[in-house]
Amino acid sequence: MDTTGSFLMPPAQSTYAGDVDALFNFILIAGLIIFVIVIATTVFFSMKYRRKGMATKTSGTDHNLGLEILWTAIPTALIVIVFIWTFRSYIKMSVVPGDAIEIKVTAQKWFWTFDYAEGANSVNELVIPVNQPIKLLMSSQDVIHSFFIPNFRAKMDVLPNRYSITWFEATSTGTYDLFCTEYCGKGHSEMLGSVRVVSEEEYKKWIDEGSDPGKGLTLEEFGRKLYVKKACNTCHTTDGSKGVGPTFKGVFGREEIMEDGTPITVEENYIRESILEPKAHIVAGFQPVMPTYQGLLKDREIDAIIAYLKTMKAE
Amino acid sequence: MSTATATNYLNEAKGWKSWLLTQDHKRIGIMYLAGIFFFFLVGGLLALIIRWELFTPAKDIMEADTYNRFFTLHGAIMIFLFIIPSIPAALGNFVLPLMLGAKDVAFPRLNLASWYLYVIGALFALYSIISGAADTGWTFYTPYSTSTSGSVVAIAVGVFILGFSSIFTGLNFIATIHKLRAPGMTWFKMPLFVWGLYATAIIQVLATPVLGITVVLLILERMVHIGIFDPAMGGDPVLFQHFFWFYSHPAVYIMILPGMGIISEVIATFSHKRIFGYKAIAYSSLGIAFMSFLVWGHHMFVSGQSELASLIFSFLTFFVGIPSGIKVFNWVATMYKGQISLKVPMLYAISFLILFSIGGLTGIFLGAVSVDVHLHDTYFIVAHFHYTMMGGTVIAFLAGLHFWWPKLWGRIYNETWAVVSCLMIFIGFNVTFLSQFIMGAQGMPRRYYTYPEEFQRLHGFSSVGSLILGAGFLIMTIYLLHSIFRGKKVGRNPWQSLTMEWEAESPPITHNFDKDMVLEHGPYDYDIVDAKYTEEGTL
Ligand SMILES: [Cu+2]
Ligand SMILES: [Cu+2]
């Protein structure tokens, strides 16, 4: 039996996914057999013993020791098999190999940040090398989130008060979905990311660039890149439509009314403040949900974002 | 005798006061029925709106905030205001004393009080809707629930009050079953529905207080920041999950055990056969009730609880599955060499066997901890609990409703329409939820307002199914309401059943029976006794 992947599951791309699928398939087949027997018997009895006219006395059989032992013993045996099986695969999923690369994962409403030991970081895109165990050390800035990569069969809640850990080893290169699976409010279904599994060399290159991400780009181009990479786009649009936050179209130089009624014209210092201390001034008509980027953006990156925002003129 | 047939519990007293101040368990049962039908309608409409929104991947008809409130309300209403009271408080109230040969429950006034608590709890829930509604999901997980701007406190107070309503009903039933059985009805001569209600009542009394305490802590946390769940104050948000599931897993059995009881009655009656493994079924109800307190951690396999704890919970979870499996085998065996009549209640019972088996068997995937890591919080879970809660409890409730309907009103619904609606519900249900198993296995997370393109087809399929389901229920509403006034009249025992409620008139007189009841034969003595039936009005 091909145990990697099941016709119900997405392609299996991690070292332990095959185990999970094999067990899934076993339960599926055993379950289907039991189900078919039970339902076929029910249907057969309802036809064979169909009542004709008024009911009369029927047989009084109400037990059959052999049968009862059988239908207790078989499910019990199956369950013992399933338990031993799940025990072994769960241990494999829980014990992190000693040589795993550690990456810090931070979840917050509603995006993921990945910090690498080498200093690189990324938002909503986890880049990892193929055939190497990866350990994720995860924590949340606000409510509980959950980190889920279907192709890896990996899932772990991300908590605000303690670290949680998960690990996996990708078996083939490619890009896979990353979902948040613990309900976390308005942006829960947009808290999506991706996992890019790359070759060893490509990973090295990415890490090097990661330490100096703006290399070779103009300030505006770099800002445009950051707008996506740092997930500003989950809340701010560039086409003039209202998102969770105000649109960036024509933002520079625009006069905004704050919650307390004071008007503010958007200029460099205000943008910087909005990014580092978003709660300082709240634009009227919006919730104070923008996270602070303190520590996540370097000065040059903030400059780049400001330069990019300036390019976005209203018609 | 002619006067006795003319007056019954429905027409003996008139006016709204005679209903609102009644202490008659039958009238209270009917009032519960009205309440739960209302909320089933509200919860069902919410479900249809949710399925409409999910028909396409992007936004269709509402904002994310509205969607989040709708699925929260759908869950909370269906669980707390519909399923939990459905079988025990509505049907159980009506038939329990009749099945025991008693005149009423042990504490009629407490019974009425529990109905009022239900109404007050429901009012709080409704108030929470107009004051902004909660957007936490019916599970109220912290710290989301303590930090959201949604109206959490009102609905939490509602849940607290509803909990007491449930406890009162449980207490009442325990006392009734202990004290008011007809002479001759020993414990093992009780109908299995009574055993189901008894096991349920024990869980209601023991587990519901934990829910009460949990929501009080939640309210205190929100209002005065006591810091028990709030990580910023050194609290632990996962502690909330432990408290919550310590109640809510047993609550799963509050919901299903009475349903299993109904299935035992219906299958025995419509197979006209002594029930197979009476004691196994009775004891397994108690076994399940006890075990249900020891498995809550299976909801928390990826919550960060210790791996050892997860493995222990996984192990125990499998063992609570076995008694349920045995019950299914017993029901099928009961049909062997019976005289099976495929009337509507029996069609629902067969439908239950199919759907509940799927619900139970898919539970094994989820109990296996390593597989659950993948399936947790996806649509697989959504499908699984709808198969057990709706395919199980709701279908069993409908089986019971159609079974006892002639006893409630003295009239019977139109058989043809009932069969049509039963089939539509069966088909619509499977179309809606089988597709959800597949998308869940493929990784579609639950509680998503928008979703990736690749799930479009399955979501579309599921939404179409929900329309078939809705249409089935619409037909049911019409023929049931019609039958109350226009249905064909039936006699005392239209199904030739041997349990005691069928010896009362249909509808029963206010004091239930026209004589003092003594047990003359066991509830399933179909091999010994010829079931009495009235020539006229037997179906
Ligand atoms: Cu989320
Ligand atoms: Cu549970």
Side-chain angles (χ1 to χ4, degrees):
Chain A
M1 188 169 58
D2 175 22
T3 54
T4 53
S6 150
F7 78 103
L8 284 178
M9 304 269 247
Q13 315 280 13
S14 78
T15 46
Y16 54 65
D19 287 9
V20 173
D21 292 6
L23 178 53
F24 183 94
N25 290 341
F26 175 77
I27 301 175
L28 186 66
I29 291 165
L32 274 176
I33 293 173
I34 295 178
F35 179 73
V36 168
I37 292 175
V38 169
I39 300 311
T41 316
T42 308
V43 172
F44 175 71
F45 285 173
S46 1
M47 293 186 322
K48 172 135 202 252
Y49 302 116
R50 191 71 186 272
R51 186 184 302 178
K52 301 171 190 76
M54 296 308 278
T56 50
K57 280 186 195 135
T58 49
S59 124
T61 1
D62 61 356
H63 63 277
N64 180 323
L65 194 62
L67 204 59
E68 284 169 274
I69 291 178
L70 197 69
W71 73 39
T72 311
I74 293 179
T76 309
L78 280 173
I79 269 170
V80 169
I81 296 174
V82 171
F83 179 71
I84 294 173
W85 199 329
T86 200
F87 183 90
R88 299 175 62 152
S89 57
Y90 184 60
I91 295 292
K92 193 162 165 188
M93 294 168 88
S94 314
V95 180
V96 188
D99 57 345
I101 299 176
E102 187 171 307
I103 300 170
K104 175 77 191 30
V105 179
T106 310
Q108 55 187 299
K109 289 176 183 169
W110 289 282
F111 62 97
W112 304 94
T113 316
F114 304 102
D115 285 287
Y116 294 75
E118 293 81 356
N121 66 40
S122 63
V123 171
N124 285 347
E125 188 189 47
L126 175 64
V127 179
I128 56 166
V130 69
N131 295 329
Q132 278 241 22
I134 309 292
K135 171 183 174 183
L136 300 181
L137 186 66
M138 307 193 287
S139 64
S140 164
Q141 296 285 313
D142 38 52
V143 299
I144 302 177
H145 301 274
S146 192
F147 180 95
F148 177 35
I149 305 172
N151 290 93
F152 294 175
R153 315 289 185 262
K155 183 181 291 126
M156 192 65 194
D157 282 3
V158 183
L159 306 166
N161 59 331
R162 46 179 289 208
Y163 293 117
S164 54
I165 292 169
T166 187
W167 82 276
F168 42 76
E169 180 178 332
T171 51
S172 49
T173 57
T175 305
Y176 309 115
D177 287 331
L178 158 62
F179 294 125
C180 173
T181 45
E182 183 62 64
Y183 171 69
C184 55
K186 193 171 181 177
H188 173 53
S189 54
E190 264 109 58
M191 194 163 160
L192 310 172
S194 56
V195 186
R196 196 149 59 84
V197 182
V198 297
S199 66
E200 183 75 49
E201 305 83 72
E202 220 177 311
Y203 177 69
K204 289 249 164 60
K205 211 171 112 215
W206 186 85
I207 287 282
D208 287 343
E209 263 176 31
S211 331
D212 184 11
K215 205 156 71 180
L217 299 177
T218 68
L219 216 47
E220 282 117 56
E221 283 166 354
F222 185 31
R224 177 199 307 277
K225 197 169 147 194
L226 290 168
Y227 164 70
V228 178
K229 275 195 81 171
K230 300 295 172 184
C232 314
N233 61 345
T234 53
C235 300
H236 297 282
T237 68
T238 54
D239 61 4
S241 63
K242 185 177 160 185
V244 176
T247 181
F248 280 167
K249 184 166 190 178
V251 64
F252 197 85
R254 182 163 67 200
E255 181 164 295
E256 298 278 25
I257 310 295
M258 295 298 127
E259 238 180 1
D260 57 7
T262 52
I264 291 188
T265 305
V266 178
E267 40 70 51
E268 288 87 348
N269 281 312
Y270 170 73
I271 297 180
R272 191 183 165 83
E273 185 202 68
S274 292
I275 294 173
L276 298 178
E277 275 178 74
K279 300 236 156 51
H281 290 99
I282 306 296
V283 185
F286 292 92
Q287 300 288 318
V289 291
M290 175 161 161
T292 170
Y293 281 83
Q294 194 96 47
L296 286 174
L297 291 173
K298 304 189 181 72
D299 273 353
R300 202 177 109 76
E301 293 174 317
I302 295 178
D303 295 346
I305 289 176
I306 295 175
Y308 170 58
L309 292 192
K310 283 180 183 167
T311 66
M312 235 148 347
K313 306 243 160 49
E315 265 122 57
Chain B
M1 278 314 272
S2 60
T3 46
T5 41
T7 59
N8 57 52
Y9 82 100
L10 286 168
N11 62 16
E12 192 172 278
K14 293 208 167 60
W16 57 271
K17 261 193 182 166
S18 75
W19 281 88
L20 292 181
L21 298 177
T22 185
Q23 289 173 25
D24 181 349
H25 69 101
K26 299 182 289 303
R27 284 190 165 205
I28 296 173
I30 298 284
M31 295 198 302
Y32 261 115
L33 211 52
I36 64 166
F37 274 140
F38 173 74
F39 284 105
F40 187 60
L41 179 69
V42 176
L45 288 176
L46 286 168
L48 287 177
I49 298 172
I50 291 170
R51 285 307 328 162
W52 183 3
E53 174 60 52
L54 292 175
F55 190 68
T56 70
K59 170 189 160 168
D60 287 309
I61 49 171
M62 57 178 131
E63 297 294 329
D65 276 334
T66 320
Y67 176 82
N68 293 343
R69 283 169 168 75
F70 278 18
F71 80 67
T72 300
L73 283 169
H74 165 71
I77 287 178
M78 285 302 199
I79 302 253
F80 296 113
L81 289 165
F82 171 64
I83 299 190
I84 289 183
S86 66
I87 300 181
L91 290 180
N93 234 323
F94 195 100
V95 298
L96 175 66
L98 287 164
M99 281 188 136
L100 298 176
K103 290 198 173 72
D104 207 316
V105 291
F107 309 116
R109 257 178 285 193
L110 186 68
N111 201 11
L112 184 62
S114 79
W115 185 76
Y116 276 102
L117 285 183
Y118 172 78
V119 172
I120 295 169
L123 289 176
F124 269 94
L126 290 176
Y127 170 75
S128 88
I129 299 178
I130 51 174
S131 66
D135 66 339
T136 57
W138 79 277
T139 46
F140 303 112
Y141 271 19
T142 55
Y144 188 80
S145 59
T146 49
S147 56
T148 171
S149 58
S151 161
V152 178
V153 172
I155 196 155
V157 172
V159 168
F160 181 81
I161 296 172
L162 290 170
F164 274 92
S165 165
S166 178
I167 293 172
F168 284 1
T169 305
L171 276 174
N172 216 337
F173 283 9
I174 291 177
T176 307
I177 294 168
H178 272 271
K179 289 291 169 200
L180 298 183
R181 280 171 284 134
M185 189 184 285
T186 56
W187 282 89
F188 290 114
K189 289 245 160 67
M190 292 192 323
L192 285 165
F193 182 52
V194 176
W195 273 105
L197 288 177
Y198 186 69
T200 306
I202 292 175
I203 312 181
Q204 281 177 304
V205 170
L206 293 182
T208 316
V210 180
L211 175 72
I213 295 163
T214 310
V215 294
V216 166
L217 288 172
L218 180 65
I219 294 167
L220 288 177
E221 183 82 334
R222 256 191 93 92
M223 298 183 49
V224 295
H225 309 287
I226 53 173
I228 178 166
F229 303 130
D230 183 359
M233 299 172 74
D236 183 2
V238 178
L239 182 65
F240 176 86
Q241 298 179 22
H242 283 286
F243 285 174
F244 182 80
W245 290 114
F246 188 81
Y247 164 76
S248 293
H249 187 80
V252 168
Y253 294 99
I254 293 183
M255 300 182 236
I256 195 67
L257 280 170
M260 292 170 156
I262 290 181
I263 297 304
S264 298
E265 300 307 331
V266 169
I267 289 188
T269 297
F270 291 86
S271 304
H272 208 76
K273 179 84 191 311
R274 182 176 279 283
I275 194 119
F276 194 96
Y278 175 96
K279 283 198 179 172
I281 297 182
Y283 281 130
S284 69
S285 297
L286 293 181
I288 289 174
F290 172 73
M291 286 295 289
S292 73
F293 283 93
L294 305 176
V295 297
W296 79 91
H298 65 209
H299 298 266
M300 301 170 60
F301 286 153
V302 299
S303 69
Q305 82 183 353
S306 85
E307 283 83 10
L308 179 65
S310 289
L311 283 167
I312 293 172
F313 281 123
S314 171
F315 184 77
L316 293 172
T317 299
F318 285 136
F319 280 88
V320 77
I322 290 185
S324 306
I326 292 177
K327 282 186 188 231
V328 171
F329 299 139
N330 279 315
W331 290 320
V332 177
T334 300
M335 295 166 72
Y336 177 67
K337 286 197 173 166
Q339 294 177 359
I340 296 167
S341 146
L342 295 180
K343 295 283 181 194
V344 182
M346 188 63 175
L347 290 182
Y348 274 108
I350 292 174
S351 169
F352 172 96
L353 286 179
I354 298 174
L355 303 178
F356 182 71
S357 297
I358 298 179
L361 289 166
T362 50
I364 301 184
F365 294 91
L366 302 169
V369 49
S370 58
V371 180
D372 182 67
V373 168
H374 176 69
L375 298 173
H376 181 75
D377 270 345
T378 66
Y379 266 76
F380 195 94
I381 299 279
V382 178
H384 162 72
F385 69 70
H386 278 91
Y387 266 88
T388 53
M389 298 289 85
M390 180 157 188
T393 309
V394 177
I395 296 294
F397 169 73
L398 295 177
L401 190 71
H402 287 83
F403 180 47
W404 286 304
W405 194 257
K407 185 59 58 189
L408 262 57
W409 308 103
R411 292 172 185 271
I412 187 90
Y413 40 82
N414 178 299
E415 174 90 7
T416 315
W417 282 113
V419 172
V420 169
S421 133
C422 175
L423 284 179
M424 284 174 73
I425 290 171
F426 180 78
I427 294 167
F429 178 84
N430 282 301
V431 173
T432 310
F433 294 105
L434 268 182
S435 46
Q436 297 190 2
F437 277 123
I438 303 173
M439 62 175 129
Q442 288 174 353
M444 169 75 212
R446 70 191 282 202
R447 295 177 172 173
Y448 266 30
Y449 159 66
T450 55
Y451 55 86
E453 297 280 340
E454 70 238 43
F455 298 112
Q456 155 95 71
R457 276 206 8 235
L458 289 163
H459 267 300
F461 209 66
S462 179
S463 294
V464 171
S466 69
L467 284 178
I468 307 177
L469 198 50
F473 278 110
L474 184 67
I475 295 177
M476 178 184 297
T477 315
I478 297 171
Y479 73 71
L480 284 183
L481 285 178
H482 177 266
S483 74
I484 295 180
F485 307 102
R486 296 277 159 78
K488 188 170 143 247
K489 288 199 173 167
V490 293
R492 293 184 187 221
N493 192 1
W495 315 119
Q496 283 187 277
S497 180
L498 284 182
T499 41
M500 224 175 240
E501 76 272 27
W502 301 105
E503 290 176 44
E505 286 194 41
S506 305
I509 58 171
T510 303
H511 292 292
N512 290 352
F513 298 97
D514 31 26
K515 58 175 190 212
D516 279 338
M517 297 305 289
V518 178
L519 189 91
E520 282 159 8
H521 51 73
Y524 309 113
D525 285 350
Y526 292 105
D527 50 331
I528 305 170
V529 191
D530 275 316
K532 280 178 263 177
Y533 57 90
T534 37
E535 197 61 55
E536 170 237 3
T538 302
L539 297 168

